[in-house]
């Protein structure tokens, strides 16, 4: 709303129906019966400093208007917002008020019962999404503290008013029986199964800009401008109000507003009716939403036709600056199955004509009216060519985009761009008397573009170029844009003579519509080559390649890796090209060192995208892990590495190393790079084995045993049983000169995890 005076006035209320179509049942009523046709069940008034809300209630002898005022500057943040001269030009001379400033007013009404089962209502008021506080509570002194009754167990939100009686009262079993109730007080004969017919407020009108209640209270008519009113069933939170107060609601695209034809009192936040005053003329105001499903039983319908709207002292905002609301009608039109409308007989009189097309699904009898305007121009004159319009991808890339009914795809949080190109084949004005070159020299063509309803976040460039002329659109759809959006454009030419200054009448191209389906941004895809866990050899190169891609061509994806001790000797990232969404590959080459036999590590690879540009969007993260285990007792020789050098690194002599590799015919043979050799023998740990016992028996230095078995020093100390430390296999190099000739197990054999005498083994066999 926009108040043009400090006094403001009532912006919306329910009350008496003064229209010519007022029900005849309302004639001649008085007293409590006026509640059927004139009782105000809600009233909202706005002035420079306050938002006042209330309703009427029948006391038994008279109608009384109960009101509660909420101070605008009770919220310091709102007061500062209304004093912002950048946002409101009027704030420079009138800070901290609503006068001459467009503001969003939200009122939340809750109905509840007190301990005596009396029906009561509370109100909360918001301006521009800021919660207001009351000046004082009804019936309280300016210093008193009486928020809520002591016996009242209800919970109140910040800024919510003290409960006020009414507007209706509950069923009572104490009064005399009546067949019907028009005053909101419904008495029965004491039998819960029998009740009167509740007629309270069944014939009242919804009134914009004035108040016509059943009481003798008078309220100022509103002077200012209205733009849109929305009526919801269910309590709206401040978060709900902030999310939608500056966003146009499109129920056909978003199912989150609920179904008003099946709403019940328990439903939360169902959009019951939407009144948009864009382009309204006269006093009759009808809701633009919802459309009633005629198949529903009348008793179950939410019927917006029950409201008659008036605009008294109210200026409604126009959709354009022409002030034209009603147009001529075109009847000779056809529509094909793709929605293409063709005018069969052109009117003889140029001007604006209205076309109405009724749409319905084949299985649904409900029809929706689609209205648009056709501008019929005079075919005579110097501008004979209709301009052409092409819609191309962002920056003109990707060629011409497919138009309706083919869908283009966009992703939530990522830019969808297009380029409009208008062109015209006419090179000179018709009837130019000079030579062709002379006529061309003075002839200039430029273009403008007409846009239909656009997404609220769409941004357009200025028009550049002459013939052709271009304009760019950039749109980053977010949560509220999910679903299908259709945008329509046309090109308008402008021919002029630079010498004479003459401008030819413009012509408009054929309208082209682009359908865009906005889907959620998909997570990236990640593949590992080779797939699964790996067993690698000390000294040998092992390649692992991760490939990440994204179905969203506007997204970028990167690969992150979490390493432990096993760090690759080479880690390179490259773009694969030819893919979508920045397809990338990361190649990792692992080369375990000589003393890493037995080491095991889990390596995790993450594909991460950007998440998009919408507020609160988080990048998608896809993770795959694999385990790398370094084999014991195996080593890949490096280029020209002799066995003698390798033996020295492992603390053994070359003779033992040569004896472990029977394939080498000479200890000094030239080896090729990567040739696999054994640097020890695999030993299966037996019960009671300890590190100390094993080194004595094998004749191995402790350091050599640690070098051949990574992590053994931290897993088991000298006298710890290896099996208890979860060590089941080891790489050993027995020294026949230093090892034990006999052991405590002499005369026994090891089988099935235990030492037994040979005779026991034969008997078991």
């Amino acid at each position: 709303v926009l108040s043009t005076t400090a006094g403001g006035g009532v912006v919306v209320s329910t009350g008496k129906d003064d229209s010519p179509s007022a029900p005849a049942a309302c004639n001649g009523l008085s007293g409590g019966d006026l509640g059927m046709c004139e009782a105000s069940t809600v009233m909202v008034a706005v002035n420079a400093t306050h938002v006042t809300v209330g309703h009427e209630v029948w006391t038994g002898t008279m109608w009384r208007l109960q009101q509660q005022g909420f101070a605008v500057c009770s919220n310091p943040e709102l007061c500062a917002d209304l004093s912002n001269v950048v946002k409101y030009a009027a704030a420079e001379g009138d800070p901290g008020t609503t006068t001459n400033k467009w503001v969003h007013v939200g009122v939340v009404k809750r109905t509840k019962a007190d301990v005596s089962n009396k029906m009561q209502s509370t109100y909360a008021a918001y301006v521009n999404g800021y919660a207001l506080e009351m000046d004082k509570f009804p019936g309280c002194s300016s210093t008193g503290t009486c928020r809520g009754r002591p016996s009242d167990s209800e919970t109140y939100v910040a800024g919510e008013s003290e409960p006020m009686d009414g507007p209706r009262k509950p069923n009572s079993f104490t009064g005399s029986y009546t067949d019907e109730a028009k005053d909101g007080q419904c008495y029965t004969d004491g039998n819960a199964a029998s009740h009167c017919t509740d007629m309270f407020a069944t014939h009242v009108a919804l009134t914009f800009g004035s108040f016509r209640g059943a009481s003798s209270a008078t309220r100022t008519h509103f002077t200012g401008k209205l733009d849109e009113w929305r009526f919801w069933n269910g309590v709206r939170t401040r978060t709900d109000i902030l999310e939608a107060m500056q966003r146009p609601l499109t129920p056909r695209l978003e199912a989150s507003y609920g179904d008003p034809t099946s709403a019940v009192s328990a439903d939360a936040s169902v959009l019951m009716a939407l009144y948009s005053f864009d382009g309204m003329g006269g006093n009759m105001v009808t809701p633009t939403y919802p459309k009633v499903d005629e198949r529903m039983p009348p008793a179950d319908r939410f019927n917006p036709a029950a409201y008659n709207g008036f605009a008294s002292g109210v200026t409604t905002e126009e959709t354009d600056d022409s002030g034209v609301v009603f147009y001529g009608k075109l009847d000779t039109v056809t529509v094909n199955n793709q929605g293409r409308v063709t005018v069969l007989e052109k009117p003889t009189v140029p001007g604006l004509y209205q076309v109405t097309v009724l749409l319905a699904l084949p299985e649904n009898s409900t029809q929706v009216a689609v209205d648009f305007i056709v501008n019929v121009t005079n075919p005579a004159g110097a501008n004979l060519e209709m301009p052409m319009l092409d819609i191309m991808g962002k920056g003109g890339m990707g060629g011409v985009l497919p138009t309706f009914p083919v869908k283009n795809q966009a992703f939530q949080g990522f830019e969808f761009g297009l380029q409009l190109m208008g062109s015209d084949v006419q090179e000179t004005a018709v009837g130019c008397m000079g030579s062709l070159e002379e006529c061309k020299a003075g002839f200039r063509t430029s273009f403008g573009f007409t846009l239909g309803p656009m997404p609220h976040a769409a941004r357009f460039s200025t028009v550049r170029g002459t013939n052709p002329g271009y304009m760019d659109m950039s749109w980053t759809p977010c949560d509220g844009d999910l679903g299908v959006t259709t945008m329509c454009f046309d090109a308008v030419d402008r021919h002029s003579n630079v010498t004479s200054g003459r401008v030819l009448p413009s012509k408009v191209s054929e309208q082209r519509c682009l359908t865009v389906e906005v889907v959620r941004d998909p997570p990236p895809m990640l593949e590992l080559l080779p797939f699964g866990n790996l067993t690698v050899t000390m000294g040998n190169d092992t390649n692992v390649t991760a490939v990440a891609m994204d179905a969203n061509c506007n997204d970028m994806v990167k690969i992150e890796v979490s390493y432990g001790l096993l760090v690759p000797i080479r880690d390179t990232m490259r773009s694969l090209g030819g893919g979508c969404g920045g397809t990338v590959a990361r190649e990792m080459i692992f080369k375990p060192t000589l003393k890493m036999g037995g080491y095991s590590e889990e390596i995790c690879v993450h594909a991460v995208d950007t998440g998009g540009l919408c507020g609160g969007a988080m990048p998608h993260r896809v993770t795959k892990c694999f385990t790398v285990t370094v084999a014991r007792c195996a080593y890949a020789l490096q280029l020209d590495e002799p066995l003698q050098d390798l033996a020295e690194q492992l603390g053994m002599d070359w003779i033992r190393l040569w004896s472990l590799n029977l394939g080498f015919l000479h200890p000094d043979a030239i080896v090729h790079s990567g040739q696999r050799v054994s640097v020890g023998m695999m030993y299966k740990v037996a019960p009671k084995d300890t590190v100390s016992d094993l080194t004595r028996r094998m004749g191995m230095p402790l350091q050599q045993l640690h070098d051949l078995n990574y992590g053994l020093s931290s897993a088991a100390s000298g006298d710890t049983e290896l099996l208890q430390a979860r060590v089941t296999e080891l790489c050993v190099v027995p020294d026949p000169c230093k090892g034990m000739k006999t052991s405590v197990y002499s005369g026994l054999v090891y089988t099935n995890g235990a030492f037994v005498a040979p005779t026991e083994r034969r008997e078991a066999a």
Side-chain angles (χ1 to χ4, degrees):
V1 300
L2 184 148
S3 301
T4 54
T5 64
V10 175
V11 290
V12 65
S13 68
T14 59
K16 184 178 180 181
D17 186 348
D18 282 338
S19 69
S21 59
C26 293
N27 296 331
L29 299 180
S30 62
D33 289 347
L34 290 175
M36 180 175 73
C37 299
E38 298 183 22
S40 181
T41 56
V42 65
M43 183 276 300
V44 179
V46 178
N47 64 20
T49 58
H50 284 76
V51 174
T52 304
V53 297
H55 57 261
E56 291 182 319
V57 64
W58 175 246
T59 66
T61 58
M62 62 179 295
W63 287 98
R64 185 175 67 208
L65 175 62
Q66 302 197 109
Q67 306 175 75
Q68 179 61 61
F70 292 82
V72 169
C73 277
S74 63
N75 190 306
E77 293 180 90
L78 172 62
C79 205
D81 185 45
L82 295 174
S83 303
N84 186 341
V85 295
V86 176
K87 181 176 181 180
Y88 294 114
E92 185 170 359
D94 197 4
T97 74
T98 64
T99 307
N100 290 313
K101 301 164 191 173
W102 276 110
V103 294
H104 177 279
V105 178
V107 174
V108 177
K109 178 181 179 181
R110 287 206 299 168
T111 301
K112 54 187 70 178
D114 72 356
V115 291
S116 62
N117 203 32
K118 183 187 295 182
M119 196 64 66
Q120 296 179 318
S121 298
T122 66
Y123 292 90
Y126 301 83
V127 172
N128 288 355
Y130 297 102
L132 305 186
E133 291 287 347
M134 296 167 291
D135 287 341
K136 67 174 185 176
F137 303 122
C140 299
S141 66
S142 59
T143 59
T145 302
C146 52
R147 180 149 181 80
R149 294 176 174 83
S151 58
D152 191 348
S153 60
E154 290 285 343
T155 300
Y156 297 93
V157 300
E160 188 173 6
S161 73
E162 181 80 359
M164 294 187 289
D165 290 346
R168 65 172 65 249
K169 297 186 177 180
N171 289 348
S172 170
F173 300 108
T174 60
S176 58
Y177 176 73
T178 180
D179 290 331
E180 62 182 31
K182 301 175 183 178
D183 59 5
Q185 302 180 81
C186 197
Y187 297 104
T188 72
D189 58 1
N191 181 0
S194 64
H195 58 85
C196 66
T197 302
D198 189 356
M199 300 294 291
F200 179 63
T202 53
H203 292 77
V204 297
L206 181 65
T207 305
F208 295 99
S210 64
F211 176 79
R212 296 179 178 86
S215 67
S216 59
T218 59
R219 293 289 314 197
T220 305
H221 293 317
F222 179 69
T223 302
K225 297 181 180 181
L226 302 180
D227 178 54
E228 184 172 289
W229 277 89
R230 302 164 180 180
F231 292 85
W232 300 83
N233 180 76
V235 175
R236 299 280 287 170
T237 65
R238 180 173 185 263
T239 301
D240 296 330
I241 293 171
L242 287 172
E243 190 275 332
M245 71 180 188
Q246 291 183 314
R247 181 167 61 85
L249 302 186
T250 51
R252 66 183 180 83
L253 298 179
E254 302 177 49
S256 59
Y257 305 136
D259 181 5
T261 62
S262 60
V264 296
S265 60
D267 290 338
S269 295
V270 175
L271 181 63
M272 303 298 287
L274 185 151
Y275 291 82
S276 176
F277 301 131
D278 293 341
M280 285 291 182
N283 286 334
M284 297 304 296
V285 181
T286 56
T288 59
Y289 174 78
K291 301 296 183 183
V292 177
D293 188 344
E294 299 296 336
R295 296 171 299 175
M296 293 191 65
D300 296 335
R301 295 179 192 166
F302 173 80
N303 190 352
Y307 297 124
N308 293 313
F310 299 85
S312 177
V314 177
T315 303
T316 56
E317 289 296 272
E318 296 288 352
T319 54
D320 55 41
D321 58 2
S322 68
V324 178
V325 176
F326 300 104
Y327 304 91
K329 183 180 179 182
L330 284 177
D331 294 317
T332 55
V333 296
T334 62
V335 185
N336 66 11
N337 57 5
Q338 292 186 345
R340 184 182 178 89
V341 178
T342 304
V343 179
L344 299 180
E345 296 181 13
K346 295 180 181 179
T348 57
V349 179
L352 298 173
Y353 290 83
Q354 182 172 349
V355 175
T356 300
V357 178
L358 297 178
L359 303 180
L361 295 175
E363 68 278 5
N364 192 341
S365 60
T366 302
Q367 294 181 327
V368 177
V370 177
D371 297 292
F372 57 94
I373 303 302
V374 175
N375 185 9
V376 178
T377 59
N378 192 334
N383 186 1
L384 295 181
E385 299 292 343
M386 178 183 289
M388 294 171 288
L389 172 66
D390 289 308
I391 306 175
M392 298 175 291
K394 179 181 177 182
M397 304 298 292
V400 177
L401 296 178
T403 54
F404 180 85
V406 178
K407 293 179 182 178
N408 296 269
Q409 191 174 67
F411 293 93
Q412 172 192 3
F414 293 85
E415 182 190 17
F416 177 83
L418 58 83
Q419 184 180 90
L420 304 176
M421 184 182 76
S423 58
D424 199 309
V425 298
Q426 186 162 332
E427 296 179 312
T428 66
V430 175
C432 178
M433 302 305 294
S435 66
L436 179 60
E437 295 302 322
E438 291 173 341
C439 291
K440 283 185 177 181
F443 194 71
R444 294 290 184 270
T445 299
S446 59
F447 286 92
F449 298 93
T450 305
L451 314 177
M454 293 289 127
H456 70 281
R459 299 293 180 266
F460 290 87
S461 70
T462 56
V463 179
R464 65 185 187 280
T466 54
N467 188 8
Y470 301 92
M471 185 168 70
D472 299 316
M473 186 199 84
S474 175
W475 173 40
T476 301
C478 288
D479 287 350
D481 300 309
L482 290 170
V484 176
T485 297
T486 300
M487 299 171 282
C488 296
F489 312 89
D490 58 42
V492 182
D493 63 15
R494 184 181 187 275
H495 300 304
S496 62
N497 188 301
V498 296
T499 303
S500 65
R502 180 190 176 196
V503 177
L504 306 186
S506 294
K507 281 196 165 45
V508 182
S509 71
E510 180 181 0
Q511 185 184 70
R512 296 191 181 276
C513 296
L514 200 71
T515 299
V516 180
E517 182 177 22
V518 180
V519 299
R520 296 192 183 278
D521 177 41
M525 296 169 281
L526 176 64
E527 296 294 337
L528 297 179
L529 302 171
F531 176 77
N533 299 327
L534 303 176
T535 299
V536 299
T537 303
M538 294 181 289
N540 190 48
D541 292 354
T542 299
N543 291 50
V544 177
T545 301
V547 179
M549 62 199 76
D550 201 307
N552 179 359
C553 294
N554 291 328
D555 205 350
M556 296 300 294
V557 63
K558 62 181 179 180
I559 299 175
E560 299 175 351
V561 184
S562 304
Y563 298 120
L565 181 65
L566 190 60
V567 178
I569 61 171
R570 188 161 65 246
D571 188 349
T572 57
M573 183 90 75
R574 69 181 191 277
S575 175
L576 296 183
C580 194
T583 304
V584 294
R586 186 164 183 169
E587 184 179 16
M588 298 156 281
I589 301 178
F590 298 95
K591 189 174 186 178
T593 57
L594 177 60
K595 298 180 180 180
M596 294 186 71
Y599 176 76
S600 183
E601 175 187 319
E602 183 182 62
I603 297 176
C604 291
V605 182
H606 318 278
V608 185
D609 65 9
T610 63
L613 300 177
C614 295
M618 297 296 292
H620 296 100
R621 191 178 187 89
V622 177
T623 300
K624 288 189 176 181
C625 299
F626 61 97
T627 300
V628 178
T629 302
V630 183
R632 302 177 194 267
C633 292
Y635 175 73
L637 291 168
Q638 308 305 296
L639 180 64
D640 294 335
E641 183 179 20
L643 292 182
Q644 185 170 340
D645 290 351
L646 180 60
E648 289 179 3
Q649 296 181 65
L650 294 172
M652 70 175 78
D653 56 77
W654 66 267
I655 296 176
R656 278 187 292 162
L657 183 57
W658 185 34
S659 66
L660 292 171
N661 296 276
L662 300 179
F664 285 78
L665 301 180
H666 193 283
D668 299 320
I670 298 176
V671 299
H672 60 79
S673 178
Q675 186 170 353
R676 181 175 173 134
V677 297
S678 296
V679 295
M681 303 173 60
M682 292 300 296
Y683 173 81
K684 186 173 184 179
V685 176
K688 306 299 183 182
D689 274 347
T690 66
V691 171
S692 299
D693 293 340
L694 198 59
T695 55
R696 285 196 299 271
R697 184 177 185 187
M698 298 296 171
M700 294 177 63
L702 178 61
Q703 185 60 49
Q704 186 184 53
L705 185 63
H706 287 167
D707 289 346
L708 292 173
N709 298 278
Y710 183 89
L712 180 62
S713 60
S714 60
S717 60
D719 296 324
T720 303
E721 291 188 16
L722 292 169
L723 288 180
Q724 291 182 356
R726 301 180 183 274
V727 179
T728 59
E729 289 184 336
L730 290 171
C731 179
V732 299
V733 182
D735 188 335
C737 297
K738 298 179 181 179
M740 297 173 61
K741 295 181 181 179
T742 61
S743 72
V744 293
Y745 303 115
S746 297
L748 301 176
V749 294
Y750 183 63
T751 180
N752 296 328
F755 287 97
V756 298
T759 55
E760 295 177 4
R761 181 173 180 271
R762 286 194 294 271
E763 290 172 0

